[in-house]
């Protein structure tokens, strides 16, 4: 049995009402229960409070009576207190039995019982005090009276107070229970409300789902009908409610739709056939219009010929290119016009076009009263030539301007526009082609550059400067000949090849180069100027100086640069050696950056020996570099390091390692050794270098006063004031400052007064001749005397022979000697072995 839609809504409404009434009844019962509990608790508290107050008043009256009687106590007087004692006992019995205190006794019986005992005890005390007072002294009577008052006060304050407090606690306990019950009831209210809302929501969702499900079935069938499924099954047609009526209406719509669909399909078939015919006709018309538009407006020349090659149609571009109208073009075969030959000559070519169906080529023709035209011709056969119904399409693309630009670009790519000679690109390419074609033939290259040609440009201007370059090119061309490859390879640089039999390349090349230089040096007359040019040159030969033209030119450029550096106006022939040096320098510079990381750097220590007793006073630390199995000399790699910041890093490393090593030797020998370190100029430009070096020395444990920083005059460069300031900062840190190679410059004496110098090192060149040359002896003696007067320490470098020691000792013994006469620079292992036993080595001094 199917429930109708209105009945479904009534059932849903009745269920909601039942749930709501059940919730209201339940909440009302909970509220009534809480109200009754609160009323009972309040009534019990009121009854207890009234009973306590009545008993307290009764006890107060009895206490007043007792107070009056106690004042009558005296010696020989017996007071009857039985009524008052009975009254107290009655009050105690009331406390035990009063109905208003039932609830209080049940919950807090201890306080009520204690109060009743206290009152009974006071009754006994009253009877005892009355009996004792008859025979007691006055002071004893006073004590009895005081005891009675204390008991009364204790009962009133403590006994009844505790009872009232117990009543209050009982009320608070009851109220707390009521509060807990109320909170629990509140939670129940909230829980019931949430459950009620969820039930209501579930009912609404259920009702919505039922109605929506029934309507969705009809909607799905309707959608399927709209999508063309006319045979879709339609449910719920037999229902008597509104949904059934709606289902039957949809069924009627479906029947009508089927009928309309059949008619629509027939109409669509008719319209489709008509549209296809219309679209085909329009596409054909558009293609004809597009073909005609393209044919007339395309930039290329397009011509249509028959099988015999006569033009039947030509576009405007073709008439313009060929300078002929339609009638002139149709007068003879088109190939005769393009190739300029008669029919007999072009017959084989035309036959090839008809057989193969296409031909592509570039032709040059000269239209009437016009310049020659270079055109690319594309020929395409349309149809079958054998049936005589085909056509041939000619497409001509004008390449005249393109070929002219190619020639211009080729000229610019190969020739110099100023001199008309070849340029560097062509010179290099042509030279490499020669080497590849004949690799065994000797080849020389001469590179010539004008000295100070910029002055000519500045004085005469670039226009006249270009005329000078052109004239130089012509003079060189006269020397080397028209068949030689002469090129301008730079701004004022020219180069040419010299090809000679093997073994004579250098001599022959040098002869021609000198002749070329002589020709250029001849006075050149330009306008009103008579110009005498100075010119330098460089020579390189293949294969001695390089395997490619680029390598040979590079060698020449080094030679030319060297020639100009040496004053110019000369021919330099040793460029190969300079290039090898440059290559080695570059290789070492690259390797030097990784030398420290690769553990290639070593330190050597040369002793500084006291001339007075032969004891070692200190060491100068020197860097050594072993790379790829070769010891690189300091004179070669130190300048490379000074060109970059590597010298800063390596000097700091040397100071750190050497300071640690010397500190260890001091510990082993208990001697005070000084350490000398060369200070490069770049290090003096580093910000806060004094603090950095001081930190390194302190970290090693070596006192700063035992470290000497050696500088040379070249360290001061163009700004001696800045360097002097840095040296003063270093001296303030505690370092000693020494001038190395003293006397080799012109400003050494001036530096002694301006800088914080404490030591000078006399250069080796002054020592070499002191045993043979009196002037050298006088000079060394003067330097020693000056140092003595200025209180400067002295180190003499480069002492190699014992007789030099003898001569120096005649001058003075207060100096240190550094040289091979004692020991060359030795590595740390040598000195470690020497100091192993803790003894300091002493050298023999003659």
């Amino acid at each position: 049995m199917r429930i109708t839609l209105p009945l479904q809504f009534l059932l849903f409404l009745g269920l909601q009402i039942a749930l709501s009434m059940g919730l209201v009844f339940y909440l009302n019962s909970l509220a009534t229960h809480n109200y009754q509990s609160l009323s009972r608790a309040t009534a019990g508290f009121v009854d207890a409070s009234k009973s306590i107050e009545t008993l307290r008043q009764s006890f107060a009256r009895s206490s007043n009576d007792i107070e009056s009687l106690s004042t009558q106590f005296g010696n020989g007087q017996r007071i009857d207190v039985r009524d008052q004692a009975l009254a107290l006992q009655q009050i105690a019995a009331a406390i035990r039995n009063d109905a208003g205190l039932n609830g209080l006794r049940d919950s807090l019986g201890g306080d009520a019982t204690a109060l009743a005992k206290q009152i009974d005890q006071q009754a006994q005390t009253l009877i005892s005090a009355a009996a004792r007072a008859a025979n007691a002294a006055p002071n004893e009577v006073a004590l009895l009276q005081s005891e009675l008052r204390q008991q009364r006060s204790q009962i009133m304050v403590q006994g009844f107070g505790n009872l009232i407090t117990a009543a209050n606690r009982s009320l608070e306990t009851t109220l707390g229970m009521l509060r807990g019950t109320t909170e629990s009831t509140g939670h129940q209210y909230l829980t019931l409300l949430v459950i009620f809302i969820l039930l209501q929501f579930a009912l609404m969702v259920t009702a919505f789902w039922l109605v929506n499900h029934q309507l969705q079935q009809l909607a799905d069938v309707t959608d399927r009908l709209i999508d063309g499924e006319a045979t879709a099954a339609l449910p719920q047609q037999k229902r008597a409610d509104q949904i059934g009526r709606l289902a039957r209406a949809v069924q009627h719509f479906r029947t009508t739709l089927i009928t309309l669909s059949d008619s629509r399909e027939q109409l669509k078939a008719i319209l489709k056939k008509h549209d296809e015919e219309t679209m085909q006709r329009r596409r054909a018309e558009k293609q004809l219009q597009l073909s005609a538009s393209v044919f007339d407006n395309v930039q290329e020349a397009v011509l249509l010929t028959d099988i015999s090659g006569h033009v039947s149609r030509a576009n405007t571009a073709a008439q313009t290119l060929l300078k002929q109208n339609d009638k002139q073009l149709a007068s003879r075969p088109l190939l005769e016009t393009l190739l300029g030959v008669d029919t007999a000559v072009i017959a084989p070519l035309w036959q090839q076009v008809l057989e193969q169906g296409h031909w592509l080529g570039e032709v040059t023709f000269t239209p009437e009263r016009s310049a020659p035209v270079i055109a690319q011709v594309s020929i395409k056969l349309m149809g079958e030539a054998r049936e005589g119904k085909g056509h041939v399409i000619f497409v001509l693309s004008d390449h005249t301007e393109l070929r002219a630009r190619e020639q211009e670009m080729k000229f610019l790519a190969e020739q110099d526009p100023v001199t008309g000679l070849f340029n560097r690109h062509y010179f290099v390419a042509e030279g490499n082609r020669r080497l590849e074609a004949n690799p065994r033939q000797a080849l020389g290259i001469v590179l010539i550059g004008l000295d100070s040609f910029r002055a000519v440009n500045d004085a005469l201007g670039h226009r006249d400067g270009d005329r000078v370059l052109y004239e130089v090119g012509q003079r060189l061309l006269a020397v080397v000949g028209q068949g030689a490859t002469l090129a301008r390879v730079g701004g004022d640089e020219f180069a040419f090849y010299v090809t000679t039999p093997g073994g004579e390349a250098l001599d022959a090349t040098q002869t021609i180069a000198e002749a070329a230089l002589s020709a250029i040096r001849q006075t050149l007359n330009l306008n009103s100027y008579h110009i005498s040019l100075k010119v330098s040159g460089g020579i390189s030969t293949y294969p001695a100086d390089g395997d490619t033209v680029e390598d040979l030119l590079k060698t020449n450029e080094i030679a030319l640069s060297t020639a100009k550096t040496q004053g110019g106006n000369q021919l330099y022939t040793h460029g190969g050696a300079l290039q090898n040096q440059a290559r080695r320098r570059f290789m070492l510079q690259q390797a030097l950056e990784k030398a420290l990381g690769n553990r290639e750097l070593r330190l050597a220590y040369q002793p500084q020996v006291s001339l007075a007793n032969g004891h070692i006073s200190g060491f100068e630390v020197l860097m050594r570099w072993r790379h790829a199995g070769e010891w690189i000399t300091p004179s070669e790699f130190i300048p490379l390091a000074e060109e970059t910041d590597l010298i800063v890093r390596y000097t700091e490393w040397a100071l750190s390692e050497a300071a640690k090593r010397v500190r260890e030797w001091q510990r082993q020998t208990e001697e005070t050794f000084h350490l000398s370190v060369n200070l490069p100029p770049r290090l003096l430009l580093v910000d806060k270098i004094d603090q950095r070096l001081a930190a390194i020395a302190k970290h090693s444990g070596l006192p700063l006063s035992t470290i000497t920083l050696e500088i040379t005059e070249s360290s001061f460069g163009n700004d001696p004031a800045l360097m002097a300031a840095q040296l003063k900062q270093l001296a303030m840190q505690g370092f000693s400052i020494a001038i190395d190679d003293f006397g080799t410059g012109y400003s050494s004496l001036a530096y002694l007064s301006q800088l914080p110098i404490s030591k000078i090192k006399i250069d080796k060149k002054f020592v070499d001749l002191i045993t043979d040359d009196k002037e050298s002896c006088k000079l060394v003696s003067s330097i020693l005397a000056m140092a003595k007067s200025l209180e400067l320490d002295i180190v003499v470098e480069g002492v190699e022979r014992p007789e030099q020691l003898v001569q120096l000792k005649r001058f003075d013994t207060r100096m240190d000697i550094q040289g091979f006469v004692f020991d060359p620079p030795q590595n740390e292992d040598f000195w470690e072995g020497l100091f192993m036993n803790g003894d300091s080595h002493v050298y023999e001094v003659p």
Side-chain angles (χ1 to χ4, degrees):
M1 174 180 171
R2 189 179 295 274
I3 302 176
T4 61
L5 190 62
L7 184 58
Q8 292 178 10
F9 279 107
L10 288 176
L11 290 175
F12 170 69
L13 183 60
L15 186 58
Q16 281 191 321
I17 292 173
L19 288 174
S20 301
M21 292 180 65
L23 178 64
V24 170
F25 287 147
Y26 180 75
L27 294 178
N28 182 60
S29 65
L30 288 177
T32 302
H33 175 73
N34 290 340
Y35 174 75
Q36 291 176 354
S37 299
L38 180 62
S39 298
R40 287 194 298 270
T42 305
F45 177 75
V46 171
D47 292 342
S49 298
K50 288 180 179 180
S51 298
I52 292 172
E53 182 61 26
T54 300
L55 292 173
R56 191 180 66 80
Q57 292 177 358
S58 299
F59 179 78
R61 287 193 297 271
S62 298
S63 297
N64 292 333
D65 294 340
I66 294 171
E67 180 67 25
S68 300
L69 288 175
S70 65
T71 57
Q72 299 177 11
F73 286 173
N75 187 12
Q77 295 183 358
R78 177 177 290 274
I79 304 300
D80 186 7
V81 293
R82 287 176 295 178
D83 293 338
Q84 287 74 18
L86 181 60
L88 291 176
Q89 292 173 352
Q90 290 175 351
I91 293 172
I95 291 173
R96 292 188 181 94
N97 301 314
D98 191 289
L101 300 178
N102 289 336
L104 191 62
R105 280 195 299 271
D106 293 339
S107 60
L108 297 169
D111 292 333
T113 303
L115 179 60
K117 288 181 179 181
Q118 286 179 346
I119 296 174
D120 286 339
Q121 185 177 1
Q122 188 183 21
Q124 295 298 325
T125 303
L126 178 62
I127 296 172
S128 175
R132 292 168 57 190
N135 300 318
N139 57 345
E140 293 178 350
V141 172
L143 290 173
L144 293 172
Q145 293 174 344
S146 175
E147 183 180 357
L148 289 173
R149 283 195 297 271
Q150 288 178 357
Q151 286 183 349
R152 289 197 300 273
S153 176
Q154 184 176 9
I155 292 171
M156 287 295 292
V157 174
Q158 183 177 356
F160 283 99
N162 290 340
L163 193 60
I164 293 171
T165 301
N168 291 333
R169 286 200 301 269
S170 176
L171 179 62
E172 289 178 0
T173 302
T174 304
L175 292 177
M177 295 174 61
L178 289 175
R179 281 195 297 271
T181 304
T182 303
E183 290 178 359
S184 175
T185 303
H187 290 310
Q188 293 178 7
Y189 287 171
L190 181 60
T191 303
L192 288 173
L193 185 59
V194 171
I195 293 174
F196 178 75
I197 293 173
L198 292 176
L199 287 174
Q200 293 291 329
F201 179 76
L203 288 173
M204 292 177 65
V205 170
T206 303
F208 175 77
W209 179 83
L210 288 173
V211 176
N212 181 71
H213 177 69
Q214 296 169 6
L215 295 176
Q216 184 66 36
Q217 289 180 336
L218 294 176
D220 291 341
V221 173
T222 304
D223 290 339
R224 290 163 65 185
L225 292 176
I226 294 173
D227 293 337
E229 297 183 25
T231 60
L234 190 65
Q236 303 180 2
Q237 296 186 47
K238 297 181 180 181
R239 294 180 56 149
D241 56 5
Q242 291 84 348
I243 294 179
R245 292 173 59 190
L246 182 59
R248 289 188 290 274
V250 172
Q251 177 64 28
H252 179 68
F253 171 73
R254 189 189 73 169
T255 304
T256 304
L257 183 62
I258 292 173
T259 303
L260 291 175
S261 178
D262 294 338
S263 301
R264 177 174 173 270
E265 292 297 327
Q266 295 176 2
L267 181 60
K268 283 177 62 177
I270 296 172
L271 293 176
K272 182 178 180 181
K273 184 176 181 181
H274 179 268
D275 290 342
E276 289 177 353
E277 293 177 354
T278 303
M279 290 300 296
Q280 289 178 358
R281 185 169 61 254
R282 289 180 179 178
R283 282 197 294 268
E285 291 175 355
K286 286 184 178 180
Q287 287 180 351
L288 290 174
Q289 293 175 0
L290 181 60
S291 299
S293 177
V294 172
F295 185 82
D296 292 333
N297 296 310
V298 70
Q299 294 182 355
E300 279 77 9
V302 182
L303 302 99
L304 186 65
T305 72
D306 55 19
I307 295 301
S308 63
H310 290 79
V311 177
S312 59
R313 187 178 178 185
N315 66 355
T316 304
Q319 296 176 16
T320 302
L321 182 64
L322 298 173
K323 300 295 189 294
Q324 295 181 12
N325 55 29
D326 290 340
K327 185 177 181 180
Q328 291 172 329
L329 289 172
S331 62
R332 62 174 180 165
L334 182 57
L335 279 183
E336 291 185 16
T337 303
L338 297 177
L339 301 179
V341 294
D342 56 19
T343 305
V345 177
I346 66 171
L349 176 60
W350 186 250
Q351 187 63 32
Q352 179 184 351
V353 171
L354 297 180
E355 291 177 356
Q356 298 183 359
H358 60 85
W359 183 83
L360 180 66
E362 190 172 89
V363 300
T364 302
F365 60 92
T366 304
E368 187 177 356
R369 295 185 302 277
S370 182
V373 175
I374 302 174
Q376 185 184 53
V377 181
S378 176
I379 306 175
K380 180 69 175 179
L381 174 64
M382 305 297 293
E384 290 292 337
R386 290 175 294 180
E387 298 178 0
K389 298 179 180 180
H391 297 278
V392 180
I393 297 177
F394 281 73
V395 179
L396 280 66
S397 300
D398 189 356
H399 286 186
T400 306
E401 186 176 355
L402 178 62
R403 295 294 176 257
R405 289 182 180 178
E406 288 179 354
Q407 290 297 326
E408 182 181 359
M409 292 177 64
K410 183 178 180 181
F411 175 80
L412 293 176
E414 296 181 351
Q415 294 188 335
D416 173 47
V418 175
T419 62
L421 303 175
F422 292 112
N423 59 17
R424 184 187 185 98
H425 173 75
Y426 179 82
F427 184 80
V428 172
E430 177 64 19
N432 287 329
R433 281 194 294 269
R434 289 191 181 188
L435 295 179
E436 291 176 1
N438 194 355
R440 296 185 179 182
Q441 183 179 21
L443 179 70
I445 293 183
V446 179
L447 179 65
I448 295 175
L450 302 180
D451 296 338
S452 304
F453 181 70
R454 183 174 180 180
V456 176
N457 271 334
D458 293 341
L460 304 181
H462 287 281
R463 182 176 180 181
D464 287 342
D466 290 346
R467 293 177 61 186
V468 171
L469 292 175
Y470 176 80
E471 182 61 29
V472 170
Q474 294 302 309
R475 292 185 179 185
L476 288 174
L477 197 59
V479 173
V480 301
Q482 293 290 337
T485 303
L486 174 63
R488 180 188 175 204
V489 295
D492 59 0
E493 296 178 356
F494 299 83
F496 57 88
Y497 303 119
V498 177
T499 304
T500 59
E504 302 177 1
L506 181 60
D507 296 337
T509 304
Q510 185 171 354
T511 301
I512 298 178
E514 290 175 349
L517 295 180
S518 299
I520 297 174
R521 290 171 182 148
Q522 299 297 321
T523 302
L524 188 152
N525 298 319
L526 181 64
N527 297 333
S528 59
Y529 297 101
H530 303 286
I531 303 172
S532 296
L533 296 174
K534 292 184 178 181
V535 61
S536 298
I539 293 176
S540 62
T541 60
Y542 168 84
D545 297 324
D547 297 329
T548 64
V549 175
E550 290 89 345
D551 293 340
L552 297 175
L553 280 177
K554 188 181 298 182
T555 302
N556 275 348
E557 287 168 355
I558 295 174
L560 184 60
S561 176
T562 304
K564 291 184 177 182
T565 302
Q566 295 179 355
N569 205 28
Q570 59 179 299
L571 180 66
Y572 195 87
T573 60
H574 302 291
L578 292 177
Q579 186 176 17
N580 291 334
Q581 294 176 7
R583 288 175 179 170
R584 176 177 173 81
R585 177 184 178 86
F586 178 78
M587 180 271 294
L588 292 179
Q589 198 168 28
Q590 297 297 313
L592 188 59
E593 296 180 357
K594 304 176 182 178
L596 188 59
N598 294 338
R599 300 180 181 273
E600 296 177 352
L601 287 180
R602 301 288 187 271
L603 294 180
Y605 302 84
Q606 187 169 25
Q608 295 175 347
V609 181
S610 173
L611 187 58
N613 53 24
H615 285 272
I616 298 175
S617 59
F619 297 90
E620 179 180 5
V621 61
L622 303 169
M623 274 189 283
R624 296 291 185 262
W625 181 25
R626 184 176 178 83
H627 173 66
E630 175 188 3
W631 285 104
I632 312 300
T633 62
S635 61
E636 190 173 9
F637 76 84
I638 291 296
L640 295 178
E642 289 179 342
E643 292 177 0
T644 63
D645 288 336
L646 287 177
I647 192 63
V648 177
R649 181 153 53 99
Y650 288 178
T651 301
E652 291 179 342
W653 166 79
L655 175 60
S656 175
E657 294 297 319
K660 294 177 183 177
R661 193 64 59 189
V662 172
R663 178 69 185 91
E664 179 62 21
W665 296 340
Q666 288 182 346
R667 187 190 63 80
Q668 291 177 346
T669 62
E670 297 183 357
E671 297 284 346
T672 301
F673 295 136
H674 289 261
L675 174 64
S676 295
V677 181
N678 289 302
L679 192 66
R682 185 178 287 269
L683 209 64
L684 293 174
L685 300 176
V686 176
D687 187 33
K688 297 182 180 180
I689 187 59
D690 57 322
Q691 299 178 16
R692 291 173 58 171
L693 296 182
I696 293 173
K698 291 177 182 177
H699 180 72
S700 66
L702 189 66
L704 273 65
S705 59
T706 62
I707 300 177
T708 301
L709 303 178
E710 299 182 2
I711 61 171
T712 58
E713 292 182 42
S714 61
S715 303
F716 294 89
N718 298 324
D719 194 357
L722 175 62
M723 301 302 179
Q726 291 282 50
L727 290 177
K728 290 178 181 178
Q729 292 294 331
L730 290 168
M732 291 178 64
Q733 290 285 352
F735 292 104
S736 298
I737 308 299
I739 291 185
D740 196 9
D741 300 335
F742 181 79
T744 58
Y746 297 100
S747 305
S748 299
L749 295 178
Y751 291 150
L752 292 179
S753 61
Q754 298 174 6
L755 302 177
I757 304 299
S758 59
K759 182 183 294 186
I760 62 174
K761 298 187 70 174
I762 300 177
D763 190 70
K764 180 179 183 297
K765 67 172 60 178
F766 297 110
V767 180
D768 290 342
L769 301 176
I770 60 174
T771 58
D772 303 321
D773 185 22
K774 294 182 178 181
E775 296 298 327
S776 296
C777 286
K778 292 180 181 179
L779 184 57
V780 173
S781 177
S782 300
I783 294 174
L784 295 175
M786 177 198 65
K788 182 178 180 181
S789 63
L790 296 176
E791 298 181 352
L792 300 175
D793 295 331
I794 302 171
V795 177
V796 182
E797 297 182 286
V799 180
E800 298 180 350
R801 303 192 307 274
E803 54 267 26
Q804 292 174 336
L805 279 180
V806 173
Q807 184 62 44
L808 289 171
K809 199 167 185 179
R810 291 172 181 170
F811 294 143
D812 199 344
T813 58
R814 290 174 296 178
M815 68 182 74
D816 292 335
I817 304 300
Q818 179 178 339
F820 282 31
V821 69
F822 291 127
D823 256 320
Q826 302 283 3
N827 59 29
E828 58 193 39
D829 295 335
F830 174 84
W831 300 108
E832 290 286 350
L834 195 63
F835 299 143
M836 182 179 298
N837 296 325
D839 298 329
S840 178
H841 184 70
V842 179
Y843 290 95
E844 181 180 353
V845 178

